[in-house]
């Protein structure tokens, strides 16, 4: 489903790679947590999967496509197979809940009939059946994130990427979102979630990939947020991590 | 469905950006009006050339006893000299260039003179033998007058060989300068128009960057993202082009036809048919430039 071969990502003006020779494979239907400090490379990983960035070295295969060989013209069609959710929801403030979800179908040329059917279905699935005509600012944070998730999955993508989807939410709301993501995963969608939320990771007992300074330091099934065996950290690593956070902040 | 969506995006963009759109309309209007005026001037030059060159003749003036030049030496051209000049006109190599020629003697020249200037006080001093006898020559191709001038100028009894086109040249030069000036102004204005369209589209894209971000995220094709912006630029400049076309047509209708043609004269002026040829050119130029600059301006937002 997703395979990284020796992938290194260097951003211009930064000598330390955001991802350093990462090799891993994620299978269809897996639920994967991506954990690590800020600047450890989680977001770079997701951006590479989405092909918003090119790897400096190495190869990435997603859904059987070699991303390095995908022409720019085909990227939009590739992205229709991926759903993305962000910490800050990214809803259109002047559009209703229904229109926010419908928008993502309209712009890829779906018919009116399809939209009329698919949007209420997905809103029901995320638990917003009665709120289709609300505007985003009339909703709570958890509800807004549900709209964003509905938008991401309405086109039935094979992969759902979630970049700290619970980062802005309180624990009980987060739990609701996790239940929803679990349900989506149970439907066969591969879910990759970058997070800082130790409680969620520990509770879910799913595959955990931990990144430190762009390197995979841990990849375990049914893992927790913290590794049992403490990874060896040299002082230089810590120093580098510090500079990288600065770079991240600047960006 | 998609068309409706795209058009509603265009409408939204124009409403949101109204002042910039109006600026684009005005700048394209003015610049294309200059383009149209330049084209009309060139047409006018072409038409006048065609008209006058057909009528322009080469005059071979023969000596009179009042002319004191090397060829004449104050003696009237003799019958032999005249015969020799006519011989030249009738035989190769000149004969092939000439469509017809006519001889005008003193009396005929005097009649023509009276016809042109009337019996004023001065004309009473002019007598027939003041006016030179002349061969009026029509050429097949008016451009080839040089050969005639070269061949006949030095002959005894010939005072001067004059191509009447020389009288017209200053008029054409003036019209040419006017039309090049118009083209120069038009080019500057068009550069301004292109930059303005690009800026307008960037502003429009910036105000819709959330939508653009989501469109790219969910996999809207580049063409789908691009089209509303390109159309926005095209609509604005199309309005400007139509205004420019209307300006050109009314210029021809009211000024050229209504004012210039009202003055009696034989000069032919450009007509409405010419103006109607110019209008589609303006539309194509306006729309083409707008589409190009908008497409380039939006490209930055399409990078994946």
């Amino acid at each position: 489903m997703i395979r990284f071969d020796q992938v290194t990502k260097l951003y211009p003006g930064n000598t330390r790679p955001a991802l350093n020779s990462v090799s891993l494979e994620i299978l269809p239907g897996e639920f994967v947590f991506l954990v690590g400090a800020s600047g450890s490379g989680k977001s770079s990983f997701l951006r590479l999967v989405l092909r918003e960035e090119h790897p400096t070295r190495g190869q990435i295969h997603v859904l059987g496509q070699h991303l390095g060989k995908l022409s720019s013209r085909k990227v939009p069609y590739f992205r229709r197979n991926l759903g993305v959710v962000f910490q800050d929801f990214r809803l259109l403030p002047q559009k209703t809940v229904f229109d926010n979800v419908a928008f993502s179908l309209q712009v890829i040329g779906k018919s009116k009939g399809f939209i009329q059917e698919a949007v209420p279905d997905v809103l029901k699935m995320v638990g917003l059946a009665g709120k289709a005509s609300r505007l985003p600012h009339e909703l709570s944070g958890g509800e807004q994130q549900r709209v964003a998730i509905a938008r991401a999955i309405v086109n039935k993508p094979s992969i759902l990427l979630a970049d700290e989807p619970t980062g802005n939410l309180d624990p009980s709301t987060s739990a609701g979102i996790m239940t929803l993501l679990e349900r989506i995963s149970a439907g066969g969608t591969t879910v990759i979630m970058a997070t800082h939320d130790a409680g969620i990771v520990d509770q879910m007992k799913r595959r955990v990939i931990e990144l430190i300074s762009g390197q995979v330091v841990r990849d375990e099934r049914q893992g927790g947020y913290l590794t049992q065996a403490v990874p060896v950290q040299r002082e230089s690593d810590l120093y580098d991590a510090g500079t990288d956070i600065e770079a991240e902040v600047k960006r | 469905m998609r068309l409706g969506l795209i058009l509603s995006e265009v409408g939204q963009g124009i409403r949101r950006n109204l002042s910039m759109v109006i600026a684009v309309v005005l700048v394209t209007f003015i610049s294309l009006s200059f383009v149209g005026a330049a084209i009309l001037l060139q047409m006018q030059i072409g038409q006048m050339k065609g008209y006058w060159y057909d009528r322009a003749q080469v005059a071979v003036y023969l000596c009179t006893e009042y002319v004191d030049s090397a060829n004449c030496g104050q003696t009237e051209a003799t019958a032999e000299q005249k015969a020799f000049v006519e011989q030249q006109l009738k035989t190769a190599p000149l004969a092939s260039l000439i469509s017809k020629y006519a001889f005008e003697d003193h009396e005929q020249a005097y009649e023509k003179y009276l016809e042109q200037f009337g019996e004023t006080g001065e004309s009473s001093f002019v007598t027939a033998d003041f006016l030179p006898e002349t061969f009026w020559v029509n050429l097949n191709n008016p451009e080839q007058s040089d050969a005639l001038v070269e061949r006949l100028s030095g002959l005894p009894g010939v005072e001067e060989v004059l191509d009447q086109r020389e009288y017209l040249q200053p008029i054409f030069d003036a019209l040419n300068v006017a039309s090049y000036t118009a083209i120069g102004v038009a080019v500057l204005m068009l550069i301004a128009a292109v930059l303005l369209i690009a800026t307008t589209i960037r502003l429009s894209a910036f105000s819709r960057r959330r939508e653009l971000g989501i469109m790219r995220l969910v996999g809207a094709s580049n063409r789908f993202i691009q089209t509303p912006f390109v159309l926005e630029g095209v609509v604005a400049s199309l309005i400007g082009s139509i205004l420019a076309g209307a300006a050109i047509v009314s210029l021809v209708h009211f000024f050229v036809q209504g004012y210039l043609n009202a003055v009696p004269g034989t000069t032919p002026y450009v007509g409405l048919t010419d103006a109607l040829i110019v209008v589609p050119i303006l539309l194509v130029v306006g729309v083409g430039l707008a589409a190009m600059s908008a497409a380039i301006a939006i490209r930055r937002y399409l990078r994946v």
Side-chain angles (χ1 to χ4, degrees), chain A residues 92-131:
Chain A
L92 300 174
Q94 75 284 13
K95 284 192 194 302
T96 64
V97 168
F98 183 95
D99 289 341
N100 260 290
V101 179
F103 181 72
S104 70
L105 291 175
Q106 284 169 345
V107 299
I108 60 172
K110 295 289 185 189
S111 73
K112 210 169 211 165
F114 180 87
I115 292 171
Q116 291 296 342
E117 218 162 276
V119 176
D121 273 1
V122 79
L123 286 180
K124 195 171 152 204
M125 175 177 175
V126 299
L128 291 173
K131 299 189 171 164

mmCIF file of all heavy atoms in Angstrom, chain A residues 92-131:
data_model
loop_
_atom_site.group_PDB
_atom_site.id
_atom_site.type_symbol
_atom_site.label_atom_id
_atom_site.label_comp_id
_atom_site.label_asym_id
_atom_site.label_seq_id
_atom_site.Cartn_x
_atom_site.Cartn_y
_atom_site.Cartn_z
ATOM 1 N N LEU A 92 -14.171 25.576 4.876
ATOM 2 C CA LEU A 92 -14.457 26.864 4.239
ATOM 3 C C LEU A 92 -15.507 27.583 5.072
ATOM 4 O O LEU A 92 -16.635 27.116 5.181
ATOM 5 C CB LEU A 92 -14.958 26.644 2.811
ATOM 6 C CG LEU A 92 -13.952 25.925 1.920
ATOM 7 C CD1 LEU A 92 -14.565 25.600 0.572
ATOM 8 C CD2 LEU A 92 -12.704 26.767 1.750
ATOM 9 N N PRO A 93 -15.160 28.725 5.677
ATOM 10 C CA PRO A 93 -16.031 29.328 6.689
ATOM 11 C C PRO A 93 -17.373 29.807 6.148
ATOM 12 O O PRO A 93 -18.341 29.865 6.902
ATOM 13 C CB PRO A 93 -15.197 30.504 7.207
ATOM 14 C CG PRO A 93 -14.151 30.740 6.190
ATOM 15 C CD PRO A 93 -13.910 29.459 5.489
ATOM 16 N N GLN A 94 -17.436 30.145 4.867
ATOM 17 C CA GLN A 94 -18.704 30.691 4.378
ATOM 18 C C GLN A 94 -19.607 29.623 3.772
ATOM 19 O O GLN A 94 -20.678 29.936 3.280
ATOM 20 C CB GLN A 94 -18.457 31.836 3.393
ATOM 21 C CG GLN A 94 -17.982 31.426 2.009
ATOM 22 C CD GLN A 94 -16.510 31.032 1.986
ATOM 23 O OE1 GLN A 94 -15.898 30.825 3.028
ATOM 24 N NE2 GLN A 94 -15.942 30.897 0.801
ATOM 25 N N LYS A 95 -19.165 28.374 3.810
ATOM 26 C CA LYS A 95 -19.984 27.291 3.265
ATOM 27 C C LYS A 95 -20.572 26.467 4.414
ATOM 28 O O LYS A 95 -19.930 26.304 5.455
ATOM 29 C CB LYS A 95 -19.135 26.378 2.380
ATOM 30 C CG LYS A 95 -18.808 26.954 0.998
ATOM 31 C CD LYS A 95 -18.231 25.852 0.132
ATOM 32 C CE LYS A 95 -17.569 26.343 -1.140
ATOM 33 N NZ LYS A 95 -18.402 27.114 -2.036
ATOM 34 N N THR A 96 -21.777 25.944 4.201
ATOM 35 C CA THR A 96 -22.402 25.103 5.222
ATOM 36 C C THR A 96 -21.671 23.771 5.299
ATOM 37 O O THR A 96 -20.830 23.446 4.461
ATOM 38 C CB THR A 96 -23.876 24.819 4.886
ATOM 39 O OG1 THR A 96 -23.906 24.055 3.675
ATOM 40 C CG2 THR A 96 -24.658 26.096 4.695
ATOM 41 N N VAL A 97 -22.036 22.992 6.324
ATOM 42 C CA VAL A 97 -21.446 21.663 6.500
ATOM 43 C C VAL A 97 -21.640 20.836 5.231
ATOM 44 O O VAL A 97 -20.696 20.246 4.694
ATOM 45 C CB VAL A 97 -22.115 20.965 7.708
ATOM 46 C CG1 VAL A 97 -21.749 19.492 7.745
ATOM 47 C CG2 VAL A 97 -21.695 21.659 8.999
ATOM 48 N N PHE A 98 -22.873 20.840 4.733
ATOM 49 C CA PHE A 98 -23.157 20.068 3.520
ATOM 50 C C PHE A 98 -22.285 20.544 2.364
ATOM 51 O O PHE A 98 -21.646 19.751 1.680
ATOM 52 C CB PHE A 98 -24.647 20.227 3.154
ATOM 53 C CG PHE A 98 -25.059 19.409 1.963
ATOM 54 C CD1 PHE A 98 -25.616 18.148 2.125
ATOM 55 C CD2 PHE A 98 -24.881 19.896 0.667
ATOM 56 C CE1 PHE A 98 -25.984 17.387 1.025
ATOM 57 C CE2 PHE A 98 -25.242 19.135 -0.428
ATOM 58 C CZ PHE A 98 -25.802 17.878 -0.246
ATOM 59 N N ASP A 99 -22.234 21.872 2.185
ATOM 60 C CA ASP A 99 -21.492 22.411 1.041
ATOM 61 C C ASP A 99 -19.991 22.175 1.169
ATOM 62 O O ASP A 99 -19.305 21.965 0.178
ATOM 63 C CB ASP A 99 -21.766 23.907 0.887
ATOM 64 C CG ASP A 99 -23.179 24.167 0.401
ATOM 65 O OD1 ASP A 99 -23.775 23.219 -0.151
ATOM 66 O OD2 ASP A 99 -23.672 25.286 0.585
ATOM 67 N N ASN A 100 -19.494 22.208 2.422
ATOM 68 C CA ASN A 100 -18.076 21.913 2.619
ATOM 69 C C ASN A 100 -17.741 20.518 2.121
ATOM 70 O O ASN A 100 -16.719 20.312 1.475
ATOM 71 C CB ASN A 100 -17.712 22.039 4.097
ATOM 72 C CG ASN A 100 -17.053 23.360 4.415
ATOM 73 O OD1 ASN A 100 -15.919 23.600 4.023
ATOM 74 N ND2 ASN A 100 -17.777 24.232 5.100
ATOM 75 N N VAL A 101 -18.596 19.564 2.461
ATOM 76 C CA VAL A 101 -18.337 18.189 2.038
ATOM 77 C C VAL A 101 -18.592 18.043 0.536
ATOM 78 O O VAL A 101 -17.811 17.428 -0.193
ATOM 79 C CB VAL A 101 -19.209 17.209 2.852
ATOM 80 C CG1 VAL A 101 -18.963 15.779 2.394
ATOM 81 C CG2 VAL A 101 -18.908 17.346 4.335
ATOM 82 N N ALA A 102 -19.693 18.684 0.091
ATOM 83 C CA ALA A 102 -20.052 18.570 -1.329
ATOM 84 C C ALA A 102 -18.978 19.205 -2.224
ATOM 85 O O ALA A 102 -18.707 18.716 -3.318
ATOM 86 C CB ALA A 102 -21.396 19.241 -1.579
ATOM 87 N N PHE A 103 -18.357 20.279 -1.715
ATOM 88 C CA PHE A 103 -17.351 21.001 -2.500
ATOM 89 C C PHE A 103 -16.258 20.063 -3.006
ATOM 90 O O PHE A 103 -15.861 20.116 -4.178
ATOM 91 C CB PHE A 103 -16.741 22.103 -1.634
ATOM 92 C CG PHE A 103 -15.709 22.938 -2.328
ATOM 93 C CD1 PHE A 103 -16.082 23.853 -3.299
ATOM 94 C CD2 PHE A 103 -14.368 22.821 -2.010
ATOM 95 C CE1 PHE A 103 -15.130 24.631 -3.934
ATOM 96 C CE2 PHE A 103 -13.416 23.591 -2.645
ATOM 97 C CZ PHE A 103 -13.798 24.495 -3.615
ATOM 98 N N SER A 104 -15.801 19.165 -2.112
ATOM 99 C CA SER A 104 -14.688 18.295 -2.509
ATOM 100 C C SER A 104 -15.126 17.315 -3.591
ATOM 101 O O SER A 104 -14.294 16.800 -4.333
ATOM 102 C CB SER A 104 -14.133 17.561 -1.297
ATOM 103 O OG SER A 104 -15.055 16.603 -0.855
ATOM 104 N N LEU A 105 -16.426 17.060 -3.679
ATOM 105 C CA LEU A 105 -16.907 16.179 -4.751
ATOM 106 C C LEU A 105 -17.154 16.974 -6.028
ATOM 107 O O LEU A 105 -16.880 16.508 -7.136
ATOM 108 C CB LEU A 105 -18.202 15.482 -4.331
ATOM 109 C CG LEU A 105 -18.057 14.436 -3.226
ATOM 110 C CD1 LEU A 105 -19.423 13.913 -2.821
ATOM 111 C CD2 LEU A 105 -17.166 13.293 -3.671
ATOM 112 N N GLN A 106 -17.678 18.196 -5.866
ATOM 113 C CA GLN A 106 -17.936 19.038 -7.042
ATOM 114 C C GLN A 106 -16.662 19.282 -7.830
ATOM 115 O O GLN A 106 -16.653 19.177 -9.053
ATOM 116 C CB GLN A 106 -18.505 20.398 -6.598
ATOM 117 C CG GLN A 106 -19.957 20.343 -6.182
ATOM 118 C CD GLN A 106 -20.389 21.627 -5.501
ATOM 119 O OE1 GLN A 106 -19.564 22.442 -5.095
ATOM 120 N NE2 GLN A 106 -21.682 21.808 -5.374
ATOM 121 N N VAL A 107 -15.582 19.597 -7.105
ATOM 122 C CA VAL A 107 -14.379 19.999 -7.817
ATOM 123 C C VAL A 107 -13.676 18.826 -8.491
ATOM 124 O O VAL A 107 -12.760 19.036 -9.275
ATOM 125 C CB VAL A 107 -13.382 20.752 -6.907
ATOM 126 C CG1 VAL A 107 -14.021 22.002 -6.368
ATOM 127 C CG2 VAL A 107 -12.872 19.879 -5.792
ATOM 128 N N ILE A 108 -14.075 17.592 -8.155
ATOM 129 C CA ILE A 108 -13.506 16.486 -8.934
ATOM 130 C C ILE A 108 -14.542 15.969 -9.933
ATOM 131 O O ILE A 108 -14.380 14.888 -10.499
ATOM 132 C CB ILE A 108 -12.955 15.352 -8.047
ATOM 133 C CG1 ILE A 108 -14.053 14.763 -7.173
ATOM 134 C CG2 ILE A 108 -11.806 15.843 -7.202
ATOM 135 C CD1 ILE A 108 -13.589 13.523 -6.424
ATOM 136 N N GLY A 109 -15.598 16.771 -10.148
ATOM 137 C CA GLY A 109 -16.492 16.504 -11.267
ATOM 138 C C GLY A 109 -17.554 15.450 -11.004
ATOM 139 O O GLY A 109 -18.079 14.852 -11.939
ATOM 140 N N LYS A 110 -17.911 15.221 -9.719
ATOM 141 C CA LYS A 110 -18.976 14.253 -9.450
ATOM 142 C C LYS A 110 -20.338 14.862 -9.803
ATOM 143 O O LYS A 110 -20.529 16.073 -9.722
ATOM 144 C CB LYS A 110 -18.954 13.860 -7.968
ATOM 145 C CG LYS A 110 -17.702 13.113 -7.556
ATOM 146 C CD LYS A 110 -17.675 11.707 -8.144
ATOM 147 C CE LYS A 110 -16.464 10.954 -7.607
ATOM 148 N NZ LYS A 110 -16.261 9.677 -8.303
ATOM 149 N N SER A 111 -21.255 14.007 -10.159
ATOM 150 C CA SER A 111 -22.579 14.491 -10.581
ATOM 151 C C SER A 111 -23.387 14.959 -9.374
ATOM 152 O O SER A 111 -23.126 14.573 -8.236
ATOM 153 C CB SER A 111 -23.330 13.383 -11.292
ATOM 154 O OG SER A 111 -23.749 12.426 -10.346
ATOM 155 N N LYS A 112 -24.362 15.797 -9.649
ATOM 156 C CA LYS A 112 -25.234 16.327 -8.607
ATOM 157 C C LYS A 112 -25.930 15.183 -7.869
ATOM 158 O O LYS A 112 -26.048 15.187 -6.648
ATOM 159 C CB LYS A 112 -26.274 17.249 -9.246
ATOM 160 C CG LYS A 112 -26.736 18.367 -8.364
ATOM 161 C CD LYS A 112 -27.556 19.368 -9.177
ATOM 162 C CE LYS A 112 -27.392 20.763 -8.622
ATOM 163 N NZ LYS A 112 -27.841 21.799 -9.529
ATOM 164 N N GLY A 113 -26.382 14.199 -8.647
ATOM 165 C CA GLY A 113 -27.090 13.062 -8.051
ATOM 166 C C GLY A 113 -26.209 12.316 -7.073
ATOM 167 O O GLY A 113 -26.634 12.001 -5.952
ATOM 168 N N PHE A 114 -24.970 12.082 -7.473
ATOM 169 C CA PHE A 114 -24.032 11.380 -6.602
ATOM 170 C C PHE A 114 -23.822 12.162 -5.312
ATOM 171 O O PHE A 114 -23.813 11.612 -4.211
ATOM 172 C CB PHE A 114 -22.702 11.192 -7.338
ATOM 173 C CG PHE A 114 -21.660 10.488 -6.525
ATOM 174 C CD1 PHE A 114 -21.589 9.103 -6.505
ATOM 175 C CD2 PHE A 114 -20.753 11.214 -5.765
ATOM 176 C CE1 PHE A 114 -20.634 8.453 -5.744
ATOM 177 C CE2 PHE A 114 -19.793 10.562 -5.006
ATOM 178 C CZ PHE A 114 -19.734 9.178 -5.000
ATOM 179 N N ILE A 115 -23.668 13.496 -5.461
ATOM 180 C CA ILE A 115 -23.411 14.329 -4.287
ATOM 181 C C ILE A 115 -24.598 14.315 -3.343
ATOM 182 O O ILE A 115 -24.445 14.178 -2.128
ATOM 183 C CB ILE A 115 -23.084 15.774 -4.748
ATOM 184 C CG1 ILE A 115 -21.743 15.776 -5.479
ATOM 185 C CG2 ILE A 115 -23.049 16.726 -3.576
ATOM 186 C CD1 ILE A 115 -21.412 17.083 -6.167
ATOM 187 N N GLN A 116 -25.807 14.412 -3.909
ATOM 188 C CA GLN A 116 -27.022 14.415 -3.086
ATOM 189 C C GLN A 116 -27.140 13.136 -2.270
ATOM 190 O O GLN A 116 -27.732 13.123 -1.197
ATOM 191 C CB GLN A 116 -28.265 14.573 -3.980
ATOM 192 C CG GLN A 116 -28.412 15.929 -4.628
ATOM 193 C CD GLN A 116 -28.605 17.047 -3.614
ATOM 194 O OE1 GLN A 116 -28.956 16.809 -2.463
ATOM 195 N NE2 GLN A 116 -28.341 18.279 -4.038
ATOM 196 N N GLU A 117 -26.571 12.066 -2.785
ATOM 197 C CA GLU A 117 -26.676 10.796 -2.087
ATOM 198 C C GLU A 117 -25.519 10.583 -1.118
ATOM 199 O O GLU A 117 -25.715 10.157 0.015
ATOM 200 C CB GLU A 117 -26.685 9.665 -3.123
ATOM 201 C CG GLU A 117 -27.614 8.541 -2.769
ATOM 202 C CD GLU A 117 -27.913 7.714 -4.004
ATOM 203 O OE1 GLU A 117 -28.823 8.088 -4.767
ATOM 204 O OE2 GLU A 117 -27.196 6.725 -4.203
ATOM 205 N N ALA A 118 -24.316 10.903 -1.601
ATOM 206 C CA ALA A 118 -23.117 10.558 -0.829
ATOM 207 C C ALA A 118 -22.949 11.440 0.404
ATOM 208 O O ALA A 118 -22.536 10.954 1.466
ATOM 209 C CB ALA A 118 -21.879 10.653 -1.713
ATOM 210 N N VAL A 119 -23.268 12.733 0.272
ATOM 211 C CA VAL A 119 -22.976 13.643 1.378
ATOM 212 C C VAL A 119 -23.829 13.339 2.618
ATOM 213 O O VAL A 119 -23.274 13.214 3.719
ATOM 214 C CB VAL A 119 -23.110 15.112 0.921
ATOM 215 C CG1 VAL A 119 -22.909 16.058 2.089
ATOM 216 C CG2 VAL A 119 -22.096 15.412 -0.172
ATOM 217 N N PRO A 120 -25.149 13.196 2.495
ATOM 218 C CA PRO A 120 -25.921 12.862 3.695
ATOM 219 C C PRO A 120 -25.467 11.550 4.334
ATOM 220 O O PRO A 120 -25.429 11.445 5.565
ATOM 221 C CB PRO A 120 -27.359 12.744 3.169
ATOM 222 C CG PRO A 120 -27.373 13.567 1.934
ATOM 223 C CD PRO A 120 -26.022 13.408 1.334
ATOM 224 N N ASP A 121 -25.098 10.578 3.483
ATOM 225 C CA ASP A 121 -24.617 9.302 4.008
ATOM 226 C C ASP A 121 -23.405 9.500 4.902
ATOM 227 O O ASP A 121 -23.340 8.987 6.018
ATOM 228 C CB ASP A 121 -24.208 8.373 2.844
ATOM 229 C CG ASP A 121 -25.396 7.582 2.347
ATOM 230 O OD1 ASP A 121 -26.496 7.795 2.896
ATOM 231 O OD2 ASP A 121 -25.217 6.779 1.408
ATOM 232 N N VAL A 122 -22.431 10.248 4.373
ATOM 233 C CA VAL A 122 -21.176 10.387 5.111
ATOM 234 C C VAL A 122 -21.394 11.254 6.356
ATOM 235 O O VAL A 122 -20.785 11.027 7.391
ATOM 236 C CB VAL A 122 -20.063 10.929 4.190
ATOM 237 C CG1 VAL A 122 -20.163 12.416 3.995
ATOM 238 C CG2 VAL A 122 -18.686 10.568 4.730
ATOM 239 N N LEU A 123 -22.292 12.244 6.256
ATOM 240 C CA LEU A 123 -22.574 13.073 7.434
ATOM 241 C C LEU A 123 -23.215 12.228 8.531
ATOM 242 O O LEU A 123 -22.942 12.419 9.714
ATOM 243 C CB LEU A 123 -23.483 14.249 7.053
ATOM 244 C CG LEU A 123 -22.804 15.367 6.259
ATOM 245 C CD1 LEU A 123 -23.787 16.482 5.946
ATOM 246 C CD2 LEU A 123 -21.604 15.922 7.014
ATOM 247 N N LYS A 124 -24.048 11.297 8.104
ATOM 248 C CA LYS A 124 -24.672 10.405 9.087
ATOM 249 C C LYS A 124 -23.602 9.535 9.743
ATOM 250 O O LYS A 124 -23.601 9.324 10.951
ATOM 251 C CB LYS A 124 -25.709 9.534 8.368
ATOM 252 C CG LYS A 124 -26.664 8.829 9.300
ATOM 253 C CD LYS A 124 -27.778 8.183 8.501
ATOM 254 C CE LYS A 124 -28.304 6.985 9.254
ATOM 255 N NZ LYS A 124 -28.934 6.027 8.340
ATOM 256 N N MET A 125 -22.670 9.079 8.921
ATOM 257 C CA MET A 125 -21.628 8.203 9.442
ATOM 258 C C MET A 125 -20.763 8.903 10.491
ATOM 259 O O MET A 125 -20.378 8.312 11.481
ATOM 260 C CB MET A 125 -20.748 7.699 8.304
ATOM 261 C CG MET A 125 -19.589 6.889 8.831
ATOM 262 S SD MET A 125 -18.577 6.202 7.551
ATOM 263 C CE MET A 125 -17.304 5.484 8.580
ATOM 264 N N VAL A 126 -20.455 10.196 10.250
ATOM 265 C CA VAL A 126 -19.614 10.886 11.223
ATOM 266 C C VAL A 126 -20.449 11.488 12.351
ATOM 267 O O VAL A 126 -19.910 12.166 13.226
ATOM 268 C CB VAL A 126 -18.765 12.002 10.566
ATOM 269 C CG1 VAL A 126 -17.847 11.416 9.518
ATOM 270 C CG2 VAL A 126 -19.644 13.093 9.983
ATOM 271 N N GLY A 127 -21.762 11.273 12.316
ATOM 272 C CA GLY A 127 -22.597 11.725 13.421
ATOM 273 C C GLY A 127 -23.027 13.169 13.331
ATOM 274 O O GLY A 127 -23.206 13.832 14.338
ATOM 275 N N LEU A 128 -23.179 13.687 12.117
ATOM 276 C CA LEU A 128 -23.624 15.079 11.959
ATOM 277 C C LEU A 128 -24.909 15.154 11.131
ATOM 278 O O LEU A 128 -25.152 16.149 10.459
ATOM 279 C CB LEU A 128 -22.531 15.898 11.269
ATOM 280 C CG LEU A 128 -21.258 16.162 12.058
ATOM 281 C CD1 LEU A 128 -20.225 16.826 11.172
ATOM 282 C CD2 LEU A 128 -21.535 17.031 13.272
ATOM 283 N N ALA A 129 -25.722 14.102 11.223
ATOM 284 C CA ALA A 129 -26.880 13.996 10.330
ATOM 285 C C ALA A 129 -27.771 15.229 10.387
ATOM 286 O O ALA A 129 -28.223 15.718 9.366
ATOM 287 C CB ALA A 129 -27.669 12.751 10.671
ATOM 288 N N GLY A 130 -27.984 15.794 11.591
ATOM 289 C CA GLY A 130 -28.942 16.896 11.687
ATOM 290 C C GLY A 130 -28.316 18.264 11.484
ATOM 291 O O GLY A 130 -28.999 19.273 11.633
ATOM 292 N N LYS A 131 -27.027 18.318 11.161
ATOM 293 C CA LYS A 131 -26.362 19.627 11.149
ATOM 294 C C LYS A 131 -25.844 20.024 9.776
ATOM 295 O O LYS A 131 -24.928 20.838 9.662
ATOM 296 C CB LYS A 131 -25.203 19.600 12.152
ATOM 297 C CG LYS A 131 -25.737 19.335 13.555
ATOM 298 C CD LYS A 131 -24.727 19.485 14.628
ATOM 299 C CE LYS A 131 -25.445 19.425 15.977
ATOM 300 N NZ LYS A 131 -24.537 19.201 17.102
#
